[in-house]
Amino acid sequence: MTVEPWFIVAMALSLAGYGIYLAGLRRHLLEPSRASWLIWAVATGVEAATYLAVNPGEPQGLVFAASAVACIIVTLAMWRRSRWTSPSPTETICMAASFAAIVLWLLLKETFWAHMLVVAAVPLGFWPTWASVWEDRARERSPAWGLWTLGDLATLIVATRSSGSGIGEYAYVMVELLCHASVWLMVGLATLNPLRSFGRREGGLRVLDAYLPANPFAVGETHLGKAVFAAQDFAEGQTIVRFSGRTVPASRLPTGLSGAADRFLQIARDRYMGPSGRIDDLINHSCSPNAGLRFTDTGVFLTALRAIVPGEEIAWDYSTTLADPDWSMICACDSPQCRGVIRAFAALPPEIQDRYRASDLVAPYLREPAKNQAA
């Protein structure tokens, strides 16, 4: 049996895209839409299973099967590291419509219009991702989108050279090609260059590039373990990142947590913010911080206390949210002002408390003067 060269190209590009995407997800460089990936995992799985059954031996069926397995792996990896939030109305509509189209196709897959329903469901799967990228293109700034686009193009060539392909299959591959290409265009065509996509300015392929860093952060290692470093300049007072964990009542706070799992942020006397699975979970403490938390009506934001340059670790003072007098943690931040032990806000020297209050970088329930805290 002769192997179609374009089939090899399609498989290589598709799998390379998934591998790079998983690497970016592991390094916290991406914040993908879970609604989109859930739709894609189900849709590609059903599409691959059905296509292999109806068209045994066709090479493009193996491309669909490999994509389905990779979609499921990415979805599971993303689900493990991200927080659960209720889907937005738009995501709910997209998921419901997509799954309805898939169910109808399974029941009536012998009919042409049922197959076209699945084709129409492809853009619905991309809609939450389009909305996310429109809000912040850095969430999906990965070379994977360019590789998937080129892989779809190679798959389309394979389909045109296959005698068993029909208009329904052409439509499915073409729509997927256009959807992948649209995201690639939105995040910047230059992201096909890995140096550019991971935040470095070197390299060519600048066509239609947005000229923004791929991600304002880089995850690295220090003597404390994982740490977050700036990959761009932050001006004094500039918002760095939003803390996005779900709210947990104090009565439901897990016990026995330590290390990376101990990521609960006290935002009120009776409420905590849990881990988000995103970059904010990895930002360390410093007794001489360059950033601090600002609590507003729209959320909790990490703000630069002074100018921060690329390559500098981003850190904030954990004591600015703590009230429990019995809680403490050994500190090894190595700053000249290191206190040795991180304790509740009330245990800080009064002049440090006043400085944090004056900068509005204290949890709201801790903003009373020190003498009231002691009472």
Side-chain angles (χ1 to χ4, degrees):
M1 177 181 175
T2 303
V3 178
E4 169 65 56
W6 286 109
F7 164 73
I8 298 175
V9 172
M11 287 287 288
L13 290 171
S14 179
L15 294 178
Y18 284 110
I20 288 177
Y21 199 87
L22 277 170
L25 192 64
R26 183 177 179 82
R27 296 181 61 214
H28 295 265
L29 297 174
L30 302 170
E31 292 184 19
S33 166
R34 295 192 307 171
S36 285
W37 279 97
L38 182 60
I39 294 171
W40 296 334
V42 175
T44 55
V46 173
E47 172 80 10
T50 305
Y51 191 90
L52 289 172
V54 175
N55 302 283
E58 292 293 338
Q60 56 267 41
L62 296 179
V63 178
F64 290 148
S67 296
V69 172
C71 270
I72 293 171
I73 292 173
V74 171
T75 302
L76 292 176
M78 178 175 54
W79 219 276
R80 289 186 60 187
R81 64 169 288 272
S82 62
R83 65 191 177 98
W84 165 253
T85 53
S86 300
S88 67
T90 299
E91 291 173 336
T92 301
I93 293 172
C94 289
M95 288 191 292
S98 298
F99 295 153
I102 292 170
V103 169
L104 286 173
W105 181 45
L106 288 173
L107 295 175
L108 304 166
K109 57 179 175 285
E110 300 299 327
T111 62
F112 177 77
W113 67 266
H115 185 92
M116 296 310 293
L117 276 178
V118 176
V119 174
V122 172
L124 287 175
F126 277 84
W127 192 271
T129 293
W130 286 330
S132 178
V133 174
W134 184 261
E135 183 177 341
D136 181 3
R137 73 186 69 209
R139 293 173 179 170
E140 291 286 354
R141 205 160 174 80
S142 170
W145 294 104
L147 296 174
W148 288 329
T149 300
L150 298 177
D152 288 339
L153 184 60
T155 303
L156 186 63
I157 294 174
V158 172
T160 59
R161 296 163 68 91
S162 173
S163 59
S165 300
I167 188 172
E169 181 183 342
Y170 292 145
Y172 183 88
V173 177
M174 179 62 73
V175 170
E176 194 170 72
L177 165 65
L178 294 175
C179 288
H180 279 138
S182 67
V183 178
W184 186 21
L185 178 64
M186 291 174 73
V187 301
L189 295 182
T191 54
L192 191 59
N193 181 337
L195 290 178
R196 300 280 291 165
S197 68
F198 288 134
R200 298 187 60 181
R201 306 289 294 198
E202 295 85 353
L205 292 176
R206 298 174 182 269
V207 180
L208 291 178
D209 187 12
Y211 293 103
L212 292 174
N215 194 298
F217 314 106
V219 178
E221 297 282 342
T222 68
H223 64 289
L224 298 174
K226 287 190 179 297
V228 177
F229 296 84
Q232 68 174 45
D233 290 305
F234 289 98
E236 181 179 349
Q238 182 178 350
T239 296
I240 298 174
V241 68
R242 177 178 181 172
F243 277 50
S244 53
R246 66 184 181 91
T247 300
V248 179
S251 59
R252 297 182 59 188
L253 190 68
T255 58
L257 294 177
S258 62
D262 189 10
R263 296 289 181 178
F264 284 83
L265 171 70
Q266 190 170 6
I267 58 177
R269 295 196 183 278
D270 60 346
R271 286 183 295 128
Y272 287 76
M273 179 181 286
S276 67
R278 296 180 176 179
I279 198 77
D280 47 295
D281 286 350
L282 304 178
I283 301 176
N284 291 323
H285 163 88
S286 173
C287 295
S288 181
N290 54 15
L293 291 185
R294 183 155 289 154
F295 292 74
T296 71
D297 293 338
T298 57
V300 181
F301 299 88
L302 189 69
T303 303
L305 296 179
R306 56 171 175 76
I308 301 175
V309 299
E312 184 178 355
E313 183 183 357
I314 298 171
W316 61 283
D317 192 333
Y318 289 177
S319 293
T320 55
T321 67
L322 297 171
D324 185 355
D326 298 324
W327 187 93
S328 65
M329 185 176 78
I330 300 298
C331 181
C333 67
D334 285 353
S335 73
Q337 292 78 30
C338 182
R339 303 189 293 269
V341 180
I342 307 169
R343 300 185 188 278
F345 183 74
L348 291 175
E351 62 273 15
I352 296 180
Q353 294 186 40
D354 292 340
R355 185 171 73 245
Y356 281 136
R357 288 195 189 93
S359 301
D360 192 24
L361 297 173
V362 183
Y365 75 102
L366 294 174
R367 287 175 184 166
E368 297 85 2
K371 60 181 180 180
N372 295 338
Q373 288 293 318

